Amino acid sequence: MLRQRQTHGGQNDIKRGKNVSMETDIISTVEFNSSGELLATGDKGGRVVVFQREQESKSQPQRRGEYNVYSTFQSHEPEFDYLKSLEIEEKINKIKWLPQQNAAYFLLSTNDKTVKLWKISERDKRPEGYNLKDEDGRIRDPSTITSLRVPVLQPMDLMVEATARRVFSNAHTYHINSISVNSDLQTYISTDDLRVNLWNLEITDRSFNIVDIKPANMEELTEVITSAEFHPQHCHTFAYSSSKGSIRLCDMRQAALCDKHCKYFEEPEDPSTRSFFSEIISSISDVKFSHNGRYLMTRDYLTVKVWDLQMENKPLETYQVHDYLRGKLCSLYENDCIFDKFECVWNGSDSVIMTGSYNNFFRMFDRNTKRDVTLEASRENSKPRAILKPRKVCVGGKRRKDEISVDSLDFSKKILHTTWHPQENIIAVAATNNLYIFQDKVN
Amino acid sequence: SPSWSGLNTNRKMRADGDDSLYPIAVLIDELRNEDVQLRLNSIKKLSTIALALGVERTRTELLPFLTDTIYDEDEVLLALAEQLGNFTMLVGGPEYVHCLLPPLESLATVEETVVRDKAVESLRKISQEHSPVDLEVHFEPLVKRLASGDWFTSRTSACGLFSVCYPRVSSTVKAEIRQHFRTLCSDDTPMVRRAAASKLGEFAKVLELDYVKSDIISLFTALASDEQDSVRLLAVEACVSIATLLPQEDLETLVMPTLRQAAEDKSWRVRYMVADKFSELQKAVGPEITKNDLVPAFQNLLKDCEAEVRAAAANKVKEFCENLPEDNREQIIMTHILPCVKELVSDTNQHVKSALASVIMGLSTILGKDNTIEHLLPLFLAQLKDECPEVRLNIISNLDCVNEVIGIRQLSQSLLPAIVELAEDAKWRVRLAIIEYMPLLAGQLGVEFFDEKLNTLCMAWLIDHVYAIREAATCNLMKLVEKFGADWAQNTIVPKVLGMANDPNYLHRMTTLFCINALSDVCGRDITTKQMLPVVLKMSEDQVANVRFNVAKSLQKIGPVLEKITLQNQVKPVLDKLATDKDMDVKYFAHEALSGECLPYEYS
């Protein structure tokens, strides 16, 4: 059972007394770090906000586990490509944390074109004492300088700084849709619509193109890459998904160029359900390896599928996210919602998966019990520590109490980005410009 | 304003303050200046600060401050790490050298690899200045702290420090060091295992042979079968050092199984590493193992399914053949290596072919005249006709090896079309590359062949539509004259160059001037005065201003070659006239030439 923990964001509405939120405040990605102590969000305005979990404190035990803002910084700025006359949005498409290597934290953030490596570090000491100035900053009369002073470090209020350590640019002609750090902790991949590039985390002026699906003639283009991820343990394996609903697994040991895949996962299409929308709704919007590295999860418009790496011809499990929309595809096509890119996540033990839907609903599927639940992330219905009530959508006919009709769903309220704490049952859900953090009921 | 008061007090200080303290006070304050350049400047003068403070205050005040100043930019930290390696005398000599350990220890844990590496380098340096007692009391505990640090940055740094303390500590501490190294070789993070793998060879060198056999071999075997490709490939490097340390009779059982496995690793990056280190490996394992094991392994690498591996192996063909045991070198090359090389000549990948082309000519010296003519020549000729210009260029750039063995004439039939084709390649960088080999070719082919076949090409480049080519062509002419002499120049190229002075295209007319600039010196006073100067002077009346100001520049350039009387009577009047030209730039360059340093004083 999930309990509301916290809500962040949306302050703009309150301060300005407006109903419409700022477009730039819309959260575009959300990600826990590998210990779960930190949580980062990126938004359309190019900002990254890092939240830190409060340490246990005896005086305020109820605050234990609360996530508070730790650092906010502008990761990307809007740019203009003068050669192609193209605007480059500052929107943060993805954030990936690096495993911690010293007292500082590191993350990669990317917009459409440029990946940046950020360092977030603390400073709690300040040097004091000048030779040429006195304590108040006044210039001292040099004739009074009869001895040298070496500055001394004094404690000060904790300051958190974010500095851009590396900028990886000029490697993508198309829009970057994902980044993924290799288990060798030395390299990462960045993926756009047609190519996958391999980078060394320390080298910014060179990357290696390892997948290129661009046809010689762009008119023959039938498929684009939608997402890619490294295997969590095998440094040589990565998977990428395509707009045609297939996933390719590549082995970097076999060759320097991975244009040839080593495994190809695809479910044969059911001819009985074929329609104008089949191809659009089968496009995969996200692919994620399970933590144990045995499974792949993919999200398409209406379903989440779990694939066994050993079985290429069909998914092991298929979960319906919002099958009630099957009859509404025509209007979803007209309002462009059919092209929404929903992400999906595993819980820490790979037993539950979560993905978003419309009307601020998000779904969870328990792989063992086969039970599923629809929950709602919203400011109105939830007070802090309130227990989330499961929601139901009814299709046509009689609407029972507490049910919501498919026709009254709000398609502008979509939950595209969610993340699950790597060990505990804490989830973060981005609903437009609000971030909701929920925690499993604790005794 | 504060800056003015600063200036005033500055002056005052000179009058009655302590002159020597002020600049040091500035340096110390600038250690924390907002401007990174000023901070960097102060750090680079850290020894000046320390000298002024004296050894005592450097130890008790400056070093503690520096120990905590690790928030700075990489370049500042890098400079700091380097400085501290040379600080021993400034803290009071070897007796106090351990005071430098805390700041270097904190620098050894930062995330930036270059800074960490520099801190480790400085630590290694100052370890030598520790007395054996201090090494055990101060240095070795630091290594242990780093080795068991929470973050992998500190553990990676520890890997580079074991080998410098090991030879100088007691046997108990030695045992501890071996244990620490062993632990790091199986660290959870690949970063640390990579650092350990890359220091394995160096650590093995300082270990007693028994421990090499017992400890190092098992670590080597484990790292060479690590799940991470990036760790396994580093074990290949260690293989070279380890093989060098072991007696020949142990190599087969202790090293070869691992090396064989690496040469057939599933990951191409590991096989690439084997190919890349092949010559070193060959020397390390000796002639017998080379014959039995490395020859077949090399054949496989030359036939590898990954082009990167084939290219790396192709690069090593000459060196590998050279280092084969002499008694049956020719037989091994002819029966085992040459068949693979023949296949590589028609490889599908151009990088492989061009890697081969850069070394294949070297085989001729090893195989001698007859084999070269019979077996290698067809391969050279095939590569000279390759579709990829880089392959042809690599063959041409190595012609000297063949020249020594069979003479270049054997090749000239195919060489010429290859050169002509490269000379006319659509890519200007290819044309540029072949121009650069012209003087070398001219030297080897001789003056008659050159005049007959290549002279026209060299002149054609002078009117190339790309400036870089015209410029290179000019420089090429100069080098040719250096080779063939002024007489040759006077008869062959000077008339052609001067003829271009009447070209309707002003760019070509300017090329004449550029050529004269380049040639006057090598052609000498006589040709310059009698043939070139009249043309330059006549061009001062050119209708294009760019030509006129280049005349002024040329006159300045060739001035030193001319006699004073010529300068006075012929050059100066023209420059004076140009100095009153209606065009600004012409005037400017004429004045420049008139006041130029290379001209005699009579000019001005």
Side-chain angles (χ1 to χ4, degrees):
Chain A
M1 204 166 282
L2 279 173
R3 216 183 246 280
Q4 165 85 2
R5 260 275 29 148
Q6 281 167 279
T7 313
H8 284 282
Q11 282 91 338
N12 280 319
D13 332 4
I14 298 161
K15 278 187 207 133
R16 298 197 180 121
K18 278 190 206 163
N19 282 329
V20 281
S21 57
M22 297 267 291
E23 172 84 2
T24 52
D25 289 339
I26 294 175
I27 297 171
S28 52
T29 183
V30 52
E31 191 84 14
F32 273 112
N33 77 341
S34 56
S35 65
E37 288 304 301
L38 298 178
L39 172 68
T41 61
D43 65 24
K44 278 197 148 185
R47 277 165 311 206
V48 171
V49 182
V50 178
F51 300 87
Q52 187 186 40
R53 195 177 189 188
E54 283 300 314
Q55 298 302 309
E56 196 146 10
S57 108
K58 286 197 180 102
S59 56
Q60 293 173 295
Q62 76 281 5
R63 280 174 61 87
R64 150 84 185 136
E66 212 162 275
Y67 283 82
N68 290 320
V69 174
Y70 180 60
S71 171
T72 304
F73 57 94
Q74 190 73 34
S75 169
H76 287 69
E77 301 276 357
E79 283 177 90
F80 192 80
D81 181 343
Y82 291 95
L83 283 177
K84 295 185 185 126
S85 282
L86 276 178
E87 273 182 58
I88 302 168
E89 269 187 288
E90 67 272 35
K91 181 184 138 217
I92 308 295
N93 290 343
K94 283 277 159 27
I95 289 175
K96 293 286 167 196
W97 289 92
L98 266 61
Q100 203 170 356
Q101 48 184 320
N102 59 12
Y105 302 97
F106 291 83
L107 63 80
L108 288 172
S109 63
T110 186
N111 67 350
D112 285 341
K113 298 286 174 187
T114 306
V115 183
K116 293 184 182 179
L117 174 65
W118 288 92
K119 173 186 180 181
I120 298 146
S121 56
E122 295 182 354
R123 185 186 286 210
D124 59 0
K125 283 185 201 146
R126 184 177 59 205
E128 274 177 12
Y130 281 98
N131 285 293
L132 308 179
K133 284 189 272 190
D134 62 20
E135 304 310 318
D136 306 320
R138 279 190 304 259
I139 304 282
R140 287 172 62 196
D141 179 353
S143 64
T144 64
I145 301 175
T146 51
S147 64
L148 294 170
R149 273 178 90 179
V150 176
V152 179
L153 289 154
Q154 300 292 351
M156 64 166 191
D157 287 346
L158 183 71
M159 201 166 91
V160 182
E161 295 174 311
T163 34
R165 300 288 306 179
R166 303 262 193 280
V167 177
F168 306 90
S169 52
N170 300 325
H172 286 278
T173 314
Y174 304 94
H175 289 178
I176 300 175
N177 53 45
S178 41
I179 44 179
S180 175
V181 181
N182 192 333
S183 63
D184 68 8
L185 309 186
Q186 192 177 33
T187 55
Y188 76 90
I189 49 173
S190 58
T191 307
D192 68 24
D193 299 337
L194 297 177
R195 296 188 179 108
V196 180
N197 291 336
L198 178 70
W199 299 85
N200 185 310
L201 281 162
E202 300 204 339
I203 302 170
T204 55
D205 61 358
R206 187 175 2 145
S207 73
F208 297 95
N209 175 244
I210 51 174
V211 174
D212 186 352
I213 63 162
K214 185 173 183 282
N217 179 2
M218 279 297 266
E219 282 171 20
E220 288 161 19
L221 184 71
T222 55
E223 186 174 19
V224 294
I225 303 172
T226 53
S227 177
E229 194 180 47
F230 265 121
H231 189 282
Q233 289 93 31
H234 300 158
C235 61
H236 44 80
T237 306
F238 68 94
Y240 69 89
S241 60
S242 96
S243 56
K244 280 194 157 173
S246 60
I247 311 108
R248 290 173 178 85
L249 201 70
C250 296
D251 185 344
M252 293 175 23
R253 292 175 303 182
Q254 288 177 355
L257 301 179
C258 300
D259 293 330
K260 282 193 205 117
H261 52 262
C262 67
K263 283 189 180 177
Y264 183 77
F265 301 87
E266 191 182 34
E267 187 172 29
E269 197 188 19
D270 178 2
S272 64
T273 57
R274 167 130 200 105
S275 76
F276 172 75
F277 302 109
S278 299
E279 203 168 314
I280 302 173
I281 62 168
S282 68
S283 174
I284 293 175
S285 50
D286 197 17
V287 59
K288 293 269 168 67
F289 277 101
S290 61
H291 294 88
N292 63 18
R294 281 189 56 192
Y295 306 107
L296 271 171
M297 164 165 58
T298 58
R299 171 70 208 258
D300 56 41
Y301 193 61
L302 295 179
T303 69
V304 195
K305 291 176 178 138
V306 174
W307 305 75
D308 188 325
L309 287 191
Q310 308 305 327
M311 187 164 72
E312 295 168 63
N313 60 350
K314 63 172 194 292
L316 197 64
E317 297 150 25
T318 301
Y319 301 97
Q320 299 299 333
V321 179
H322 37 214
D323 203 45
Y324 45 80
L325 296 182
R326 201 174 279 280
K328 298 183 66 76
L329 290 176
C330 218
S331 53
L332 290 164
Y333 180 77
E334 270 159 27
N335 63 14
D336 274 353
C337 281
I338 202 167
F339 300 107
D340 284 335
K341 289 175 171 291
F342 292 98
E343 294 171 2
C344 50
V345 288
W346 300 88
N347 72 339
S349 60
D350 299 331
S351 58
V352 183
I353 55 187
M354 168 170 65
T355 191
S357 177
Y358 293 102
N359 204 52
N360 277 351
F361 287 173
F362 59 98
R363 302 269 287 147
M364 283 188 185
F365 304 95
D366 188 314
R367 299 178 56 213
N368 298 326
T369 62
K370 301 293 169 198
R371 294 223 305 247
D372 66 88
V373 64
T374 303
L375 299 168
E376 181 180 1
S378 85
R379 198 172 260 278
E380 291 81 25
N381 312 358
S382 52
K383 296 179 192 77
R385 313 192 76 77
I387 289 171
L388 294 190
K389 263 189 292 178
R391 309 304 303 252
K392 271 213 164 66
V393 177
C394 71
V395 193
K398 269 177 257 157
R399 190 166 70 90
R400 267 180 281 167
K401 193 172 169 273
D402 284 349
E403 281 188 354
I404 178 163
S405 150
V406 67
D407 293 317
S408 53
L409 291 174
D410 184 344
F411 289 103
S412 70
K413 291 181 176 170
K414 39 192 120 182
I415 291 184
L416 303 174
H417 317 285
T418 60
T419 180
W420 202 308
H421 188 289
Q423 289 95 35
E424 297 175 39
N425 278 339
I426 299 177
I427 57 167
V429 174
T432 53
N433 60 335
N434 290 307
L435 178 70
Y436 296 89
I437 300 171
F438 303 105
Q439 185 173 23
D440 200 3
K441 197 177 76 173
V442 271
N443 313 318
Chain B
S1 73
S3 65
W4 279 110
S5 75
L7 261 183
N8 291 336
T9 50
N10 187 353
R11 224 171 270 134
K12 203 166 141 205
M13 195 204 98
R14 287 223 182 90
D16 47 46
D18 183 347
D19 264 16
S20 62
L21 282 188
Y22 185 74
I24 310 288
V26 172
L27 278 182
I28 294 178
D29 284 3
E30 285 184 348
L31 281 172
R32 327 147 37 186
N33 197 291
E34 299 233 315
D35 181 350
V36 60
Q37 276 312 317
L38 291 178
R39 291 203 304 274
L40 190 59
N41 184 47
S42 270
I43 285 286
K44 285 185 173 162
K45 291 188 179 136
L46 207 55
S47 55
T48 313
I49 297 176
L51 216 51
L53 289 171
V55 293
E56 174 97 37
R57 291 191 70 194
T58 300
R59 290 199 299 265
T60 55
E61 294 176 49
L62 185 61
L63 290 180
F65 170 67
L66 294 173
T67 304
D68 281 328
T69 318
I70 49 160
Y71 303 114
D72 217 320
E73 306 274 334
D74 300 337
E75 48 187 329
V76 177
L77 297 181
L78 182 67
L80 177 59
E82 187 170 8
Q83 291 284 316
L84 292 175
N86 302 315
F87 238 60
T88 310
M89 292 323 289
L90 296 163
V91 293
E95 201 183 328
Y96 295 99
V97 65
H98 58 85
C99 299
L100 296 172
L101 298 180
L104 283 170
E105 182 175 354
S106 66
L107 288 168
T109 62
V110 302
E111 69 278 2
E112 195 57 47
T113 313
V114 283
V115 176
R116 262 190 345 251
D117 288 352
K118 189 55 89 181
V120 169
E121 196 184 312
S122 287
L123 281 169
R124 289 168 70 115
K125 209 162 159 188
I126 63 166
S127 73
Q128 303 306 320
E129 284 153 356
H130 281 70
S131 69
V133 176
D134 280 351
L135 200 71
E136 285 200 20
V137 176
H138 298 289
F139 197 88
E140 206 269 337
L142 161 125
V143 178
K144 273 192 215 160
R145 271 198 307 280
L146 287 175
S148 46
D150 283 344
W151 309 118
F152 69 74
T153 44
S154 85
R155 301 199 298 276
T156 53
S157 291
C159 293
L161 296 173
F162 294 122
S163 66
V164 290
C165 17
Y166 191 83
R168 298 181 61 212
V169 292
S170 67
S171 55
T172 338
V173 180
K174 278 186 174 167
E176 284 173 32
I177 292 181
R178 288 196 303 275
Q179 181 52 46
H180 274 294
F181 193 80
R182 211 175 295 140
T183 311
L184 293 183
C185 282
S186 54
D187 196 275
D188 283 345
T189 69
M191 299 297 209
V192 179
R193 298 205 300 279
R194 277 199 293 275
S198 67
K199 301 294 178 191
L200 186 64
E202 156 190 311
F203 188 54
K205 277 187 195 151
V206 299
L207 244 59
E208 297 79 359
L209 185 60
D210 281 347
Y211 289 121
V212 173
K213 288 191 199 174
S214 57
D215 284 28
I216 295 288
I217 295 296
S218 64
L219 296 175
F220 167 61
T221 318
L223 290 168
S225 42
D226 197 281
E227 57 170 17
Q228 293 277 341
D229 302 358
S230 56
V231 177
R232 292 203 302 282
L233 65 86
L234 288 171
V236 175
E237 255 183 296
C239 187
V240 176
S241 326
I242 293 169
T244 326
L245 296 172
L246 292 174
Q248 189 70 31
E249 64 269 22
D250 289 329
L251 287 179
E252 180 53 45
T253 48
L254 298 182
V255 176
M256 286 316 290
T258 308
L259 180 56
R260 275 185 212 114
Q261 176 195 315
E264 288 169 7
D265 197 281
K266 260 189 115 171
S267 168
W268 69 269
R269 287 165 68 200
V270 178
R271 300 196 304 274
Y272 173 92
M273 202 63 172
V274 174
D276 196 50
K277 298 275 166 231
F278 217 81
S279 305
E280 288 95 322
L281 288 167
Q282 183 185 10
K283 281 178 201 151
V285 299
E288 272 313 301
I289 295 182
T290 296
K291 263 191 268 183
N292 301 333
D293 272 278
L294 294 197
V295 171
F298 194 59
Q299 284 176 295
N300 286 339
L301 293 171
L302 288 173
K303 289 187 245 174
D304 199 278
C305 57
E306 170 55 45
E308 297 282 345
V309 179
R310 292 200 302 280
N315 258 321
K316 300 288 166 187
V317 163
K318 182 196 157 198
E319 234 181 308
F320 180 73
C321 293
E322 245 169 14
N323 295 330
L324 285 170
E326 252 176 79
D327 49 348
N328 44 6
R329 179 161 72 185
E330 190 178 320
Q331 180 258 327
I332 294 176
I333 299 176
M334 297 306 289
T335 51
H336 300 289
I337 307 296
L338 205 59
C340 304
V341 169
K342 276 184 186 158
E343 276 175 48
L344 291 186
V345 167
S346 48
D347 199 279
T348 46
N349 185 294
Q350 69 177 53
H351 299 293
V352 177
K353 288 187 291 188
S354 94
L356 181 69
S358 65
V359 298
I360 190 173
M361 312 288 269
L363 291 179
S364 49
T365 19
I366 305 169
L367 288 176
K369 192 173 175 182
D370 295 337
N371 280 328
T372 300
I373 294 176
E374 193 183 337
H375 298 283
L376 293 178
L377 198 56
L379 305 182
F380 301 158
L381 297 177
Q383 291 216 297
L384 268 178
K385 293 187 195 107
D386 198 278
E387 58 185 4
C388 162
E390 206 183 316
V391 175
R392 283 173 269 151
L393 271 174
N394 282 348
I395 289 287
I396 290 171
S397 61
N398 286 293
L399 279 175
D400 45 340
C401 322
V402 191
N403 200 15
E404 288 160 22
V405 183
I406 56 167
I408 205 163
R409 291 282 165 164
Q410 296 269 6
L411 277 175
S412 54
Q413 284 293 349
S414 310
L415 199 50
L416 197 64
I419 294 171
V420 172
E421 211 176 302
L422 288 169
E424 290 163 359
D425 197 283
K427 293 194 192 78
W428 67 267
R429 286 182 195 279
V430 175
R431 300 201 296 279
L432 187 64
I434 186 74
I435 295 177
E436 274 154 15
Y437 291 119
M438 269 298 145
L440 180 83
L441 283 170
Q444 288 170 0
L445 291 163
V447 69
E448 292 111 64
F449 186 91
F450 186 85
D451 278 345
E452 193 184 324
K453 316 270 186 190
L454 300 179
N455 200 1
T456 353
L457 277 181
C458 291
M459 301 315 291
W461 283 319
L462 289 175
I463 53 168
D464 197 282
H465 60 273
V466 175
Y467 176 75
I469 300 296
R470 297 199 298 275
E471 192 190 26
T474 323
C475 181
N476 173 45
L477 288 187
M478 184 181 75
K479 288 183 183 153
L480 290 174
V481 178
E482 277 169 1
K483 222 157 221 144
F484 294 147
D487 286 344
W488 174 81
Q490 189 168 14
N491 297 325
T492 52
I493 57 169
V494 172
K496 288 186 191 165
V497 165
L498 297 182
M500 283 164 61
N502 301 317
D503 198 286
N505 184 335
Y506 86 98
L507 289 172
H508 298 169
R509 298 203 294 281
M510 292 217 295
T511 305
T512 301
L513 292 171
F514 299 148
C515 287
I516 289 173
N517 294 348
L519 293 174
S520 65
D521 201 32
V522 284
C523 286
R525 178 175 287 176
D526 200 45
I527 299 178
T528 308
T529 315
K530 289 188 185 143
Q531 300 186 25
M532 296 177 178
L533 184 62
V535 176
V536 180
L537 295 176
K538 188 163 169 272
M539 288 171 87
S540 69
E541 285 154 27
D542 200 288
Q543 55 181 346
V544 177
N546 289 29
V547 177
R548 294 201 302 282
F549 76 64
N550 272 296
V551 166
K553 282 168 132 185
S554 288
L555 289 174
Q556 182 174 14
K557 189 92 205 318
I558 67 176
V561 186
L562 302 171
E563 267 183 290
K564 278 184 193 172
I565 183 89
T566 323
L567 290 172
Q568 195 60 40
N569 296 343
Q570 299 184 48
V571 178
K572 187 163 185 296
V574 172
L575 282 177
D576 284 338
K577 196 178 160 219
L578 289 175
T580 61
D581 198 281
K582 60 180 186 296
D583 185 277
M584 283 277 292
D585 294 326
V586 179
K587 267 197 248 182
Y588 172 81
F589 285 108
H591 282 294
E592 281 280 288
L594 283 167
S595 59
E597 276 176 38
C598 58
L599 291 184
Y601 59 92
E602 285 99 317
Y603 262 43
S604 45

